[in-house]
Amino acid sequence: MTPPRGRILIVDDAMENIHFLHRLLQDEHKVVFARDGMKALEMARTQPPDLILLDALMPGMDGFETCAALKDMPETRDIPVIFVTALDSPDDETGALEAGAVDFINKPLNAAVVRARVRTHLALKQQGDLLRAMTMTDGLTRVANRRCFDDVLEREWKRCERSGLPLALILADIDHFKLYNDRYGHLAGDRCLADVAQGMETCLRRPPDLIARYGGEEFAILLPHEDVDGAVTVASRLLDKVRELAIPHEASPTASVVTASLGISAVIPQRGMESSSLIAAADACLYEAKKAGRNRCQA
Ligand code: GH3
Ligand code: MG
Ligand code: MG
Ligand code: MG
């Protein structure tokens, strides 16, 4: 059997409509369903489908409200919604598109047309997902890029401000990397950066933790809900990991392998404080670690 092309959520109050669409799509896709708008929102948030087929007329929350609510939540905003409905006036159709739907299919349904439109919108969704991932990833090291880091820092800062939990940051900078490039060449330098980034990423154990390339040979590791002690533990793990990669660095005045220096800061975000203060504090610690001889952590 070929693997399903996508996971599709059918939302309709009438079971016979769900059965009909299910039969149409089950050979190609994984199909789940909800009988009302509220249930659909919950399912879309907890187990996001690739596409939603939405009925317009439902008791309680109708399709237009459901679609608008889906487009209002960051977790569900990017899921394409197709209206499948007996409503056929231009006002209904524009209403659906204005609520954020990507398409509008009228009943009575034609099986081939429904399948074709579903395939088209799934393909567009996959392209969009790929593009979004590319704009958030550093091409050389395959970890998150600076744009992604800035977004996540702002989001986590606000989250921690609301919850009263700490937010920690580690800035890691490769030691004597200019000398590495001079000795081994720029291509080897690129490989070294990618290996260090990938190695450090394996040290992160909780889903909210993020490593990003902050610039040149500098990486930022964001640790939501971690205090200074927790961040020091993670930083020691990162420091050990970079040493264990054992990438030879004959030109280094401070070690025979590639090492890094790490600056650590943590804070409970409060109103009136800026997230840039967390970066400035980690940067100051990184400077201290460099000054004290490199290949170490400083909190
Ligand atoms: P320190 O121990 O004080 O950090 O010394 P350093 O030589 O690592 O620091 P410096 O800031 O003097 O040099 C950073 C070097 O990183 C210079 C730059 O050419 C190199 N670099 C930055 N981005 C890249 C990259 O994408 N690829 C390669 N190969 N080198 C890079
Ligand atoms: Mg209905
Ligand atoms: Mg640097
Ligand atoms: Mg450096």
Side-chain angles (χ1 to χ4, degrees):
M1 239 179 72
T2 51
R5 293 189 191 211
R7 194 181 130 85
I8 298 176
L9 172 61
I10 300 171
V11 188
D12 201 306
D13 57 314
M15 212 53 213
E16 70 255 34
N17 292 342
I18 292 173
H19 280 311
F20 182 81
L21 285 169
H22 183 254
R23 264 197 309 278
L24 256 178
L25 299 167
Q26 64 179 348
D27 288 345
E28 273 185 64
H29 312 281
K30 167 112 182 73
V31 180
V32 293
F33 69 89
R35 303 278 308 269
D36 63 71
M38 287 309 279
K39 182 77 188 156
L41 291 183
E42 186 202 317
M43 285 175 75
R45 227 187 39 237
T46 51
Q47 279 186 296
D50 300 301
L51 183 68
I52 297 175
L53 299 182
L54 182 59
D55 181 27
L57 298 179
M58 296 185 288
M61 203 177 194
D62 69 18
F64 301 94
E65 291 171 276
T66 305
C67 186
L70 286 163
K71 296 297 146 185
D72 212 33
M73 293 192 295
E75 311 96 295
T76 55
R77 183 172 296 154
D78 297 324
I79 306 169
V81 176
I82 302 178
F83 271 67
V84 181
T85 173
L87 296 179
D88 59 0
S89 78
D91 279 354
D92 292 322
E93 191 161 342
T94 46
L97 296 172
E98 274 163 15
V102 294
D103 206 352
F104 190 93
I105 307 179
N106 274 133
K107 291 175 187 166
L109 301 175
N110 176 288
V113 170
V114 172
R115 283 201 202 96
R117 290 203 188 186
V118 163
R119 263 186 232 128
T120 298
H121 285 293
L122 277 176
L124 284 171
K125 162 76 161 47
Q126 276 151 12
Q127 282 170 20
D129 286 350
L130 187 66
L131 218 57
R132 259 190 299 281
M134 280 169 73
T135 63
M136 292 294 176
T137 308
D138 175 58
L140 175 64
T141 61
R142 316 306 303 164
V143 298
N145 64 13
R146 176 66 179 269
R147 178 209 302 262
C148 178
F149 173 79
D150 289 343
D151 284 359
V152 175
L153 174 61
E154 278 320 299
R155 195 179 67 216
E156 293 299 336
W157 181 269
K158 290 198 188 97
R159 243 186 224 171
C160 288
E161 191 184 306
R162 283 196 299 271
S163 64
L165 293 168
L167 181 61
L169 175 71
I170 302 169
L171 283 182
D173 183 294
I174 302 183
D175 296 325
H176 300 300
F177 194 59
K178 191 181 173 318
L179 293 176
Y180 187 90
N181 275 329
D182 292 348
R183 170 70 179 75
Y184 298 96
H186 221 264
L187 278 180
D190 285 354
R191 256 195 315 277
C192 173
L193 278 176
D195 289 347
V196 168
Q198 288 296 318
M200 288 200 291
E201 190 166 49
T202 64
C203 296
L204 303 180
R205 304 203 174 137
R206 304 173 319 154
D209 298 348
L210 176 80
I211 177 166
R213 187 171 179 199
Y214 191 69
E217 25 75 88
E218 245 178 79
F219 297 92
I221 297 97
L222 193 65
L223 306 167
H225 311 165
E226 205 74 87
D227 60 12
V228 146
D229 291 343
V232 167
T233 306
V234 176
S236 312
R237 224 157 52 215
L238 296 170
L239 187 70
D240 288 343
K241 183 71 193 186
V242 177
R243 290 185 193 128
E244 281 162 16
L245 293 173
I247 303 168
H249 190 348
E250 288 168 357
S252 168
T254 48
S256 58
V257 294
V258 168
T259 58
S261 298
L262 291 80
I264 303 156
S265 66
V267 71
I268 298 176
Q270 315 274 340
R271 278 169 72 87
M273 282 168 68
E274 299 269 357
S275 61
S276 58
S277 63
L278 187 66
I279 298 172
D283 204 30
C285 291
L286 173 58
Y287 178 78
E288 290 300 317
K290 289 281 183 192
K291 214 170 62 175
R294 296 178 172 78
N295 190 13
R296 71 195 64 216
C297 309
Q298 175 72 49

